[in-house]
Amino acid sequence: MSLSPLLVERSFGDLPGWGGDDHLPAFEAFARSALHVPIKPYRSGALGVDFGAFAEAYAQARGAAPANRSEARAFFERHFVPMLVRPETGAGLVTGFYEPQVEASPVRTAHFIVPLLSRPADLVDVDDANRPAGMDPYLAFARWAADGLAEYPDRGAIERGTIAGQGLEIAWLADKVDAFFIHVQGAARLVMTDGRLCRVTYAAKSGQRFTGPGKVLSELGEIPLADVTMQSIRAWFKAHPQRVDEILWRNRSYIFFREAAVDDAALGPIAAAKVPLTPGRSMAVDRLLHTFGTPFYIDAPTLTAFDKRPFRRLMIAQDTGSAITGPARGDLFAGSGDTAGEIAGVVRNAADFYALVPRALAGGA
């Protein structure tokens, strides 16, 4: 496997602000992947960053941790070579995501009326091996029907009750918009009315394409595209409660969840790379192109939402998402709760991506 021409070798001196970053929390995130990969290796992405080349760095990361930020920086400089990731078109782009925290009830009440659902028994994973002729090749899930596999009911049908009565309800929320944004983020912390703190994370989806409400509201002339943020979308829904279903049902994709423990309140949910996300250091990437566990240095000088300074920070690829496509595209994990949501909701910034590639893949440079 050879490296893609979209990866162009650079030096650490070429990375704006590299010396000013604190590389220790990035190492801690990287080490979580290092501890996971002996259980199940990550698959290599199509850009040619071979998972096997990480073996030496992972082995060292499973040993003694760096004592300080300078030792953490030396670890990355010793094992990796930075490579500029060329966008296929335009500029690189970063957005933000977070783990919402909301109040929830284990049972339906007059106040808590919106369910979060677990995976239905009739939901089937679909791939090229079992996809019926004529089924949309995008669909990765379907349901059993009398004559074989068929498209699963979409968001509007599910919310109108087409799969009700199966006992799928994990918890009940008070607000449909809160539930929708939990679907968008793929996870949430639930403060239960019985005093428990629990978590739901992604289990499966109905399979249809995601259509964001910001795009819909912009096309309808309700919010200028330049002003679309999670906050402006929420404000529009609050001002137009009678139109919530109209807009949300344009997004046919529906997410199903599973329950999970909150083992460490400082960390986020376990994501696609099978490790808990680290606030401000974990990033979602296009997993078809990139290899999970790859460190990425992100230079986004117009992004100041995280700490009031230009965002120049080492991140670790540990998640993915259906909207995260392309070589220079990332979704930055901001953390859990409302403060993290305020940050994530406004992140949409141009960025340069530098993949830190194992030295063996760069000819030992």
Side-chain angles (χ1 to χ4, degrees):
M1 178 180 288
S2 59
L3 291 176
S4 166
L6 294 176
L7 301 176
V8 183
E9 187 169 333
R10 294 288 188 262
S11 70
F12 283 101
D14 294 327
L15 276 53
W18 170 256
D21 189 20
D22 182 355
H23 303 83
L24 190 57
F27 174 85
E28 293 167 351
F30 182 81
R32 293 185 183 97
S33 282
L35 292 170
H36 168 76
V37 293
I39 302 169
K40 186 175 181 180
Y42 298 140
R43 69 185 186 195
S44 301
L47 294 188
V49 179
D50 179 34
F51 165 77
F54 287 85
E56 182 179 344
Y58 278 147
Q60 184 171 338
R62 288 191 289 269
N68 51 51
R69 61 192 293 174
S70 62
E71 288 187 10
R73 173 181 170 179
F75 169 86
F76 289 108
E77 293 180 350
R78 181 166 58 252
H79 288 286
F80 298 98
V81 173
M83 292 196 172
L84 176 67
V85 183
R86 287 176 172 167
E88 291 176 319
T89 59
L93 175 68
V94 289
T95 49
F97 72 111
Y98 77 112
E99 182 185 39
Q101 180 168 304
V102 298
E103 188 179 15
S105 170
V107 297
R108 179 169 182 155
T109 71
H111 180 64
F112 295 99
I113 60 172
V114 182
L116 298 177
L117 302 181
S118 61
R119 178 172 179 154
D122 64 347
L123 185 68
V124 179
D125 289 47
V126 176
D127 56 28
D128 291 341
N130 64 347
R131 187 185 312 280
M135 176 175 280
D136 184 347
Y138 178 87
L139 296 176
F141 296 92
R143 75 183 307 181
W144 289 112
D147 55 351
L149 292 177
E151 182 176 335
Y152 209 80
D154 67 4
R155 173 175 297 277
I158 292 171
E159 293 191 351
R160 288 190 294 267
T162 191
I163 63 171
Q166 299 183 40
L168 302 176
E169 297 84 1
I170 297 173
W172 298 84
L173 308 185
D175 184 74
K176 178 172 285 191
V177 175
D178 282 344
F180 178 82
F181 279 104
I182 290 173
H183 282 226
V184 172
Q185 304 300 327
R189 292 187 191 187
L190 305 180
V191 181
M192 305 299 288
T193 54
D194 58 12
R196 293 179 294 131
L197 178 65
C198 63
R199 169 179 279 142
V200 291
T201 63
Y202 171 90
K205 56 185 177 181
S206 60
Q208 295 88 359
R209 289 170 175 80
F210 174 83
T211 302
K215 180 176 185 291
V216 173
L217 291 170
S218 174
E219 290 175 347
L220 292 174
E222 298 291 341
I223 304 177
L225 182 60
D227 296 336
V228 169
T229 63
M230 184 180 70
Q231 290 86 337
S232 67
I233 294 169
R234 280 185 172 276
W236 190 92
F237 282 138
K238 186 175 182 179
H240 304 85
Q242 75 284 0
R243 297 186 65 186
V244 169
D245 286 342
E246 171 199 341
I247 303 302
L248 294 188
W249 289 353
R250 298 278 194 100
N251 174 41
R252 300 184 65 219
S253 176
Y254 189 92
I255 305 300
F256 301 103
F257 298 93
R258 61 178 179 84
E259 295 185 72
V262 182
D263 295 320
D264 185 340
L267 297 176
I270 294 175
K274 306 306 179 186
V275 296
L277 297 175
T278 303
R281 293 293 172 175
S282 293
M283 181 174 74
V285 297
D286 186 335
R287 72 180 304 178
L288 297 179
L289 299 178
H290 296 298
T291 304
F292 280 159
T294 300
F296 282 85
Y297 188 70
I298 304 299
D299 176 27
T302 64
L303 171 56
T304 58
F306 277 80
D307 57 8
K308 309 303 181 186
R309 297 178 299 172
F311 190 93
R312 294 186 168 107
R313 191 179 292 194
L314 187 61
M315 308 290 289
I316 310 298
Q318 293 177 320
D319 201 4
T320 191
S322 58
I324 311 305
T325 59
R329 177 74 175 89
D331 209 15
L332 312 176
F333 180 63
S336 305
D338 291 343
T339 299
E342 290 298 312
I343 295 171
V346 298
V347 178
R348 188 174 183 84
N349 298 80
D352 287 332
F353 287 63
Y354 298 88
L356 269 58
V357 173
R359 285 192 172 273
L361 298 179

